[in-house]
Amino acid sequence: MTRRALELLCLVALGAVWGWANDSPPWTFAGALLGALVWAIFDGLRAREVLGWIAKGEASRAPHLSGTWGEVVERSRKLIKKLDRKAQNSDTRLEDFLAAIQASPNGVVLLDSTGRIEWANLTAANHLGFDPQRDLGQYVRNMVRAPAFTAYLNAADFSHEIQVDGPGPRPSQPSKISLQIHPYGKKRKLVLTRDVTALQLAETMRRDFVANVSHEIRTPLTVLSGFVETMQSIPLEAADRERYLALMSQQAQRMQTLVSDLLTLSRLEGSPSPGAGEWVDGDELLSHVLQEARGLTQVIAHPPHQIESAQGPALLVSGAKTELLSAMSNLMSNAVRYTPGGGEIRAGWRTLPEGGAQFFVQDTGPGISAEHLPRLTERFYRVDRSRSRETGGTGLGLAIVKHVAQRHGGQVDVQSTLGQGSTFMIHLPASRIRQRSVA
């Protein structure tokens, strides 16, 4: 027999005893009924207390009851704690899932059945130009006003992705955002976005690169073909034949130089950065490139240039010796090719305040306009195309210099004034520089 039943029997018995004490059967029945009523009221109060606690669902504030209601409270408390743990685990998993989506490089937007924004990660907000907190509940068509997106929504054909303009660094240069909608649930929609600006830029660069290479190779091939056809169809004197062969050799050398520079760029882009294990004497590198420059100026300049070594610190440079020589030689070669004969060219090393060092080449050439300076290290970019081809340039030298500098943790800088010459510099970080002891 349960405790509640015992309590009821006890109260009924007490009421009956009280009525029997009055020596009257009706009073005995009334006493028993009164005892049952008192028990019902008392039990109802306890039930109300238990139901109120269950409605709040606070396991830590369980009422202190005994008997059957105490057992109900204890079992309910355990069940509530179990449900709380499950809810906490679910919340944790949901937070982890949302954090993972938040960290995704792709944008994610959840739309309800009416097209309102339910949730969006920061990436999607940056792609589409809205606030992920403030704009919750707004219609997505009001946030993304691109005509292509509006037509995409109206057509309701989401089997393909579209591209829209996103916020860019400047209004004139918007980013390109690829976007696709995936329906799910009851008329809900999942919007996925990704930034394809870099891909489009790479594709544009690839097309320009192929076009430039084709153009650079086509010109000497045309010259070679013309001379070959001339020599095959027309009898030539020995002097003319020698002159044609010399011009053909010049064009073949130009193509060979172009292919060599392209292979150098490919090797630089496809290999890991050089480590810090090999230390090269900076004066040794400088002497090598100065010797090459003096040999070149004797061949192409009349009168030859005045090439001098600037006094500088005794340094050891960490990196790939062949790459450093290639970059430094390209700067010296450019100075010789573009500075009029008899001009002055100075090259050397100097330390930087932050602890790094700088290799510089200074010339007294015609100088470069300011609008050309940011693009000098682009492949095949030339300030004066006719002048570059006359001097044998391929348009890849400064691109090679930039890649070598970046692979060694540095950068290329150019300072130039029209009519006063130019200074080309390779900055190297302090981790790549060490002072050399001088005996």
Side-chain angles (χ1 to χ4, degrees):
M1 185 177 293
T2 65
R3 183 168 179 175
R4 294 179 69 240
L6 289 174
E7 291 176 351
L8 175 60
L9 290 176
C10 288
L11 287 175
V12 170
L14 286 175
V17 169
W18 175 79
W20 178 78
N22 289 295
D23 198 19
S24 173
W27 283 104
T28 301
F29 177 75
L33 185 61
L34 180 61
L37 181 61
V38 171
W39 176 86
I41 294 174
F42 178 70
D43 194 65
L45 292 175
R46 289 187 297 183
R48 182 178 180 182
E49 184 178 3
V50 171
L51 291 176
W53 168 73
I54 291 175
K56 293 180 180 179
E58 298 178 356
S60 60
R61 297 185 179 183
H64 299 285
L65 300 175
S66 58
T68 302
W69 287 116
E71 183 68 20
V72 171
V73 168
E74 180 62 21
R75 294 186 180 185
S76 300
R77 186 182 66 82
K78 292 181 179 179
L79 180 60
I80 290 174
K81 289 183 67 175
K82 184 178 180 180
L83 293 175
D84 285 343
R85 285 195 298 270
K86 287 185 177 180
Q88 290 177 359
N89 291 336
S90 299
D91 290 343
T92 302
R93 287 196 296 269
L94 178 59
E95 290 177 358
D96 291 342
F97 178 71
L98 293 179
I101 298 179
Q102 196 69 260
S104 171
N106 295 326
V108 179
V109 183
L110 302 181
L111 305 178
D112 63 13
S113 57
T114 62
R116 297 176 184 268
I117 301 174
E118 287 188 324
W119 184 87
N121 65 354
L122 187 59
T123 304
N126 292 334
H127 285 171
L128 302 177
F130 62 84
D131 190 292
Q133 298 296 329
R134 183 193 61 206
D135 294 328
L136 289 182
Q138 298 292 327
Y139 286 104
V140 70
R141 65 175 65 245
N142 294 336
M143 298 292 101
V144 185
R145 297 183 176 274
F149 180 71
T150 303
Y152 187 56
L153 279 178
N154 294 336
D157 180 12
F158 306 131
S159 59
H160 62 283
E161 61 182 22
I162 62 170
Q163 287 188 7
V164 298
D165 290 340
R170 289 185 293 273
S172 59
Q173 293 181 343
S175 58
K176 294 296 181 181
I177 305 300
S178 175
L179 178 151
Q180 187 169 9
I181 295 177
H182 301 271
Y184 76 100
K186 296 182 178 179
K187 296 184 178 181
R188 296 178 180 271
K189 297 178 179 66
L190 170 69
V191 183
L192 299 180
T193 65
R194 58 192 179 97
D195 192 336
V196 295
T197 308
L199 294 177
Q200 286 202 349
L201 180 60
E203 178 62 20
T204 302
M205 291 178 63
R206 184 193 65 81
R207 290 196 301 266
D208 292 344
F209 177 74
V210 172
N212 283 322
V213 170
S214 302
H215 177 72
E216 294 294 331
I217 292 180
R218 185 184 299 114
T219 302
L221 279 178
T222 302
V223 175
L224 282 173
S225 299
F227 283 140
V228 170
E229 183 179 349
T230 300
M231 296 180 69
Q232 288 176 339
S233 59
I234 302 175
L236 299 174
E237 299 292 337
D240 292 335
R241 183 182 301 105
E242 290 297 328
R243 182 167 61 89
Y244 286 176
L245 289 174
L247 292 173
M248 293 169 65
S249 176
Q250 180 184 1
Q251 297 300 324
Q253 181 63 36
R254 178 180 169 187
M255 285 193 294
Q256 185 176 357
T257 303
L258 177 62
V259 172
S260 177
D261 285 349
L262 288 173
L263 291 175
T264 299
L265 271 177
S266 177
R267 178 177 55 80
L268 291 175
E269 293 177 344
S271 60
S273 298
E278 181 182 358
W279 291 88
V280 187
D281 191 339
D283 288 341
E284 179 185 348
L285 296 173
L286 179 59
S287 299
H288 190 281
V289 298
L290 287 174
Q291 183 179 358
E292 286 185 350
R294 291 185 178 117
L296 179 62
T297 187
Q298 294 292 334
V299 175
I300 68 173
H302 303 286
H305 300 89
Q306 301 177 26
I307 300 177
E308 300 176 358
S309 172
Q311 187 68 28
L315 300 174
L316 293 176
V317 183
S318 171
K321 182 177 180 179
T322 55
E323 294 183 15
L324 293 171
L325 280 175
S326 175
M328 296 165 65
S329 296
N330 269 300
L331 293 187
M332 288 295 297
S333 174
N334 282 349
V336 172
R337 293 177 186 278
Y338 294 103
T339 301
E344 298 180 2
I345 300 174
R346 296 176 66 250
W349 291 96
R350 53 192 174 203
T351 56
L352 299 175
E354 62 272 16
Q358 177 188 92
F359 172 75
F360 69 93
V361 177
Q362 185 177 17
D363 62 52
T364 57
I368 304 171
S369 300
E371 65 268 19
H372 296 294
L373 296 181
R375 302 189 60 188
L376 286 179
T377 57
E378 294 181 11
R379 298 176 180 183
F380 298 109
Y381 185 81
R382 294 184 176 93
V383 177
D384 186 346
R385 291 185 175 271
S386 60
R387 171 66 175 164
S388 177
R389 291 195 178 94
E390 289 174 2
T391 58
T394 63
L396 297 173
L398 289 179
I400 292 175
V401 175
K402 180 187 72 172
H403 277 76
V404 171
Q406 291 177 345
R407 285 166 54 80
H408 288 76
Q411 61 182 11
V412 179
D413 189 20
V414 184
Q415 296 176 358
S416 184
T417 304
L418 279 176
Q420 300 181 17
S422 306
T423 302
F424 288 78
M425 295 157 283
I426 300 176
H427 300 271
L428 295 177
S431 59
R432 294 279 183 177
I433 301 299
R434 179 187 298 172
Q435 296 293 329
R436 176 173 59 82
S437 59
V438 180

